[in-house]
Amino acid sequence: MPSATSDHADAAALDADPPGLHAWADALHQLQAAAELEQLDEDLVAMIAVPRRAVEVAVPIRSDGGGVATFTGWRVQHSSTRGPGKGGLRYHPGASLDETKALAMLMSWKCALVDVPFGGAKGAIRCDPAQLSLAERERLTRRYASELLPVIGPNRDILAPDINTGEREMGWIMDTYSAVHGHPVGTCVTGKPVIVGGSSARRSATGLGVATVLRTAARRQRLGDPLRVAIAGYGNVGRTVAELLAADDDVRIVAVSDVAGARHDPRGLDVATLGRALDGGATVADAPTGEPCARDALLEIDCDVLVPAAVGGQLHAGNADHVRARVIVEGANGPTTREADAILHDRGVVVVPDILANAGGVVASYFEWVQGVQAMPWLGRDVSERLVERLEAAFDDVVAHAERRGCTLRDAALGIGVRRVVDAHVARGLYP
Ligand code: NAD
């Protein structure tokens, strides 16, 4: 059993380098910029700059060795004005209240932008999941869920997978919630196993959304035939995008990377061969298609569209000048730093922002929740068709707004999201 994160250790870590502080400062900066663009009422902006509720919980669990280990967890509900809170739960040693607040706020704008009737929320437990046994992980998840029972639920706040959590954790949370309420309640989580009401389309939904907005952006920019696409990060999102696009004759996936390396071929990689190699345990660099290249060189490769689909901050002041793509579609959350964004804008590179490009995940989650509420599963095809429709509509809204305001797609997307939340506040008025 690992050493638990004691409160004492937490305090020392926070003093040394407050984790997540930058993320929260950036989130507030984005809110301020959107408020100025939209000329929003200052008092209302001050109100939505504060999360409606931020809960910190102790998560004590019995360790396999027989002792007790106590972890710290959070759930932040940034807004519930347009509907119940919605957002993932992450397990990470660097998790913090500030980071969770920032991510919850971004969820509010994202849900509003793609017009799903949810507010924004996020949860985290500061822990190193690699150090936990399966049984400890289950006890951790169930105890966290039980500590939050008074504030979560299908009409209050709906949890979903995020970093280091997945279907299994969502199944445990559903079971804990259902056991306490005395009947099955699948709608307290999304991203749960299909056998208990999860959506078979959820796993590919984010990639499908990225591929949809990529196609739309490429058409708008009149990018060439064949369309040459490079993808940085080849996990759930990156691989789905590559496999969907490679099915079309007019697309070449010219380069892909994972954390360990990259491969490229200007004539197009063989995506099926790559997939088989990865399924067999190879890394991207080992796959028998194209030529090897340095991982970060991919970001500067000759292509029409670049999809950063790995970690935050991949595009920064040091490489933004060398990007050769004409369009960037942000599959990852926050892959472009503020400095890089300004450089790319000056160079005329179009950036399709994360809150639009990767919103397919939350749209499919909403559909999963609707199916649960209606107790009527849809066909996978219905989910995909409605998802594509919704993202195309959101893309058109963002482009039209950017033209009206004379701003970037990112500013327009944030402006729309923030304005919708503020308008909902105005429509409901202030209690009491
Ligand atoms: P994943 O863990 O399945 O895949 C991440 C991939 O990135 C892996 O191939 C990994 O090797 C690679 N990678 C890591 N560091 C890299 C680096 N420096 N350079 C190149 N490759 C690197 O994760 P995912 O679910 O595909 O998520 C990717 C991004 O998309 C994350 O930022 C995530 O927050 C965001 N996102 C995911 C979803 C979703 O539904 N999965 C939804 C919204 C946003």
Side-chain angles (χ1 to χ4, degrees):
M1 179 67 197
S3 61
T5 318
S6 73
D7 286 348
H8 190 68
D10 278 357
L14 284 171
D15 282 348
D17 177 18
L21 205 58
H22 286 301
W24 179 233
D26 281 355
L28 288 177
H29 179 90
Q30 280 187 340
L31 169 59
Q32 201 50 49
E36 279 164 25
L37 183 74
E38 297 298 313
Q39 299 182 330
L40 299 174
D41 179 274
E42 273 179 29
D43 291 345
L44 282 173
V45 174
M47 184 172 84
I48 59 174
V50 182
R52 294 266 69 73
R53 182 186 274 140
V55 183
E56 178 168 294
V57 288
V59 193
I61 61 163
R62 194 159 303 285
S63 65
D64 289 349
V68 173
T70 303
F71 298 84
T72 306
W74 301 273
R75 187 74 188 169
V76 176
Q77 294 159 354
H78 168 258
S79 170
S80 54
T81 307
R82 300 181 70 259
K86 183 84 192 79
L89 165 64
R90 65 172 54 176
Y91 293 173
H92 199 270
S96 69
L97 174 59
D98 276 326
E99 181 190 62
T100 312
K101 280 162 58 179
L103 294 166
M105 183 183 264
L106 282 179
M107 283 302 295
S108 296
W109 316 146
K110 190 185 287 190
C111 290
L113 174 64
V114 290
D115 205 13
V116 300
F118 287 143
K122 201 79 179 190
I125 303 179
R126 186 184 297 161
C127 65
D128 181 357
Q131 301 292 315
L132 295 169
S133 71
L134 185 63
E136 289 167 341
R137 190 187 259 258
E138 179 171 354
R139 289 195 286 275
L140 183 81
T141 306
R142 288 183 180 278
R143 182 63 193 239
Y144 173 81
S146 64
E147 291 295 338
L148 290 173
L149 279 174
V151 296
I152 61 172
N155 299 309
R156 292 196 176 110
D157 181 4
I158 303 139
L159 288 81
D162 195 71
I163 294 174
N164 289 320
T165 63
E167 287 183 3
R168 184 181 53 189
E169 283 73 16
M170 295 307 113
W172 290 331
I173 293 172
M174 172 186 167
D175 187 64
T176 306
Y177 192 93
S178 301
V180 171
H181 286 81
H183 59 95
V185 188
T187 44
C188 63
V189 289
T190 59
K192 56 193 168 287
V194 173
I195 192 79
V196 287
S199 167
S200 57
R202 170 66 188 87
R203 217 171 285 166
S204 57
T206 304
L208 174 60
V210 173
T212 301
V213 296
L214 187 154
R215 277 294 200 178
T216 315
R219 262 197 309 276
R220 258 187 66 79
Q221 296 299 314
R222 298 196 169 82
L223 296 182
D225 179 2
L227 183 66
R228 298 165 308 139
V229 179
I231 302 177
Y234 212 66
N236 175 311
V237 177
R239 180 170 169 179
T240 305
V241 174
E243 291 178 353
L244 285 170
L245 292 176
D248 296 334
D249 289 341
D250 61 339
V251 177
R252 307 269 179 279
I253 305 296
V254 292
V256 304
S257 64
D258 65 9
V259 69
R263 291 196 84 86
H264 81 113
D265 184 342
R267 292 160 305 162
L269 294 164
D270 182 339
V271 169
T273 298
L274 179 60
R276 278 193 296 276
L278 296 182
D279 291 342
T283 64
V284 165
D286 299 333
T289 174
E291 299 295 323
C293 76
R295 184 190 74 186
D296 293 342
L298 175 140
L299 301 165
E300 303 172 14
I301 219 155
D302 188 19
C303 62
D304 301 307
V305 184
L306 172 64
V307 183
V311 289
Q314 278 179 290
L315 296 169
H316 45 76
N319 59 15
D321 259 329
H322 307 294
V323 167
R324 286 200 264 171
R326 288 178 52 203
V327 171
I328 292 173
V329 180
E330 295 186 331
N333 283 317
T336 312
T337 65
R338 231 189 291 163
E339 295 79 12
D341 220 18
I343 295 170
L344 292 166
H345 177 64
D346 287 347
R347 295 185 49 224
V349 179
V350 173
V351 179
V352 183
D354 47 6
I355 66 164
L356 171 62
N358 69 31
V362 80
V363 171
S365 287
Y366 166 56
F367 293 157
E368 179 181 331
W369 180 81
V370 169
Q371 290 166 78
V373 169
Q374 297 177 330
M376 193 172 83
W378 305 354
L379 298 173
R381 192 183 58 224
D382 294 336
V383 174
S384 305
E385 281 175 8
R386 290 182 194 206
L387 187 154
V388 167
E389 257 173 39
R390 207 167 266 257
L391 284 186
E392 285 178 346
F395 187 94
D396 289 346
D397 282 351
V398 170
V399 169
H401 203 66
E403 282 167 2
R404 260 194 310 274
R405 296 274 191 265
C407 67
T408 64
L409 297 183
R410 188 187 310 284
D411 290 341
L414 285 165
I416 293 173
V418 173
R419 172 171 281 289
R420 284 184 181 160
V421 173
V422 166
D423 286 351
H425 273 289
V426 172
R428 285 180 54 167
L430 187 60
Y431 173 86

